Amino acid sequence: MKPDFEFERAAMAQGYTRIAGVDEVGRGPLAGPVTAAAVILDPAHIPEGLNDSKKLTKKARERLYDEIMEVAEVSIAHATVEEIDGINILRASHLAMMRALEGLKTPADYVLVDGNMLPRDLVLPAQTIIKGDSRSQSISAASIMAKICRDCVMLSLAQQHPGYGWETNMGYGSKRHIEALQELGVTPHHRRSFKPIHKML
């Protein structure tokens, strides 16, 4: 399965002109923010090779990031560790999505959201698409933008807190990360509401 522009064209057939694909990255990690992107593609200039960011090499993601930035409208936003712990990871993911949509220079008039649940504060016409990052080019573009930006955040945090391997595990619960937690302890960037961290505290 490769993403195409059919969901977007269906929305255009209903009269919508500014269709944003929205996706988030970072629901599973033990540390760091959750990051979302909203992308409005130009139908006349869709980058070649768009796909779910997890299916692309780092080199391909970085190439597509640059191409998307050149031809599309992009907004990227985060929800913090404090917000994740305060309202839960699902609601924090939706908060990041809403912030990304609100950050677009010109508002979207229709939204394609990866997954099976719309953010409850979303008032725009919208639809959810399960595995949307593999089916909709707008959502796959959003998944790439969110992935690249969150990885940059984790690389920066890895320099501030060496030893946890965030530069390679991006905050996920890898063996090295768990061992470092036991040796070095919990940082302010760890999600205290997540079981492994909660148990340590």
Side-chain angles (χ1 to χ4, degrees):
M1 185 191 301
K2 285 198 175 178
D4 57 33
F5 208 65
E6 292 309 304
F7 292 99
E8 293 84 347
R9 291 196 198 287
M12 287 174 178
Q14 297 177 58
Y16 299 107
T17 59
R18 298 184 53 75
I19 296 118
V22 179
D23 198 9
E24 52 71 29
V25 172
R27 276 174 69 161
L30 304 179
V34 62
T35 302
V39 176
I40 299 177
L41 290 174
D42 177 352
H45 299 94
I46 297 175
E48 287 286 327
L50 290 173
N51 209 334
D52 172 3
S53 64
K54 296 184 290 295
K55 296 178 181 176
L56 298 169
T57 64
K58 184 173 182 283
K59 186 176 179 181
R61 282 197 299 268
E62 289 172 349
R63 173 185 64 80
L64 283 162
Y65 177 92
D66 291 338
E67 290 184 22
I68 293 163
M69 286 299 287
E70 283 181 18
V71 300
E73 291 186 51
V74 178
S75 172
I76 295 154
H78 309 277
T80 66
V81 167
E82 291 79 14
E83 287 168 331
I84 292 166
D85 287 339
I87 61 175
N88 79 44
I89 185 60
L90 175 62
R91 288 186 61 199
S93 298
H94 287 172
L95 177 61
M97 288 180 177
M98 291 299 297
R99 286 174 176 162
L101 283 166
E102 289 160 7
L104 288 166
K105 286 183 181 174
T106 308
D109 60 7
Y110 194 86
V111 185
L112 301 173
V113 179
D114 184 47
N116 62 0
M117 190 182 298
L118 294 173
R120 64 185 187 184
D121 295 329
L122 182 61
V123 296
L124 290 170
Q127 73 180 105
T128 57
I129 305 173
I130 293 171
K131 297 191 183 299
D133 44 12
S134 296
R135 300 171 67 194
S136 155
Q137 288 178 324
S138 297
I139 295 177
S140 62
S143 81
I144 291 163
M145 304 312 277
K147 168 70 174 162
I148 291 276
C149 288
R150 188 180 185 281
D151 283 359
C152 285
V153 170
M154 294 312 296
L155 288 171
S156 174
L157 292 178
Q159 292 177 339
Q160 298 170 40
H161 299 275
Y164 296 89
W166 291 344
E167 66 279 3
T168 53
N169 62 45
M170 302 304 166
Y172 285 87
S174 68
K175 185 182 177 204
R176 179 181 173 191
H177 190 177
I178 297 297
E179 287 172 352
L181 271 166
Q182 291 163 349
E183 291 170 18
L184 304 172
V186 176
T187 74
H189 304 289
H190 280 102
R191 301 174 181 179
R192 282 157 168 72
S193 57
F194 278 40
K195 259 186 188 171
I197 311 300
H198 190 67
K199 283 181 180 175
M200 286 182 184
L201 296 169

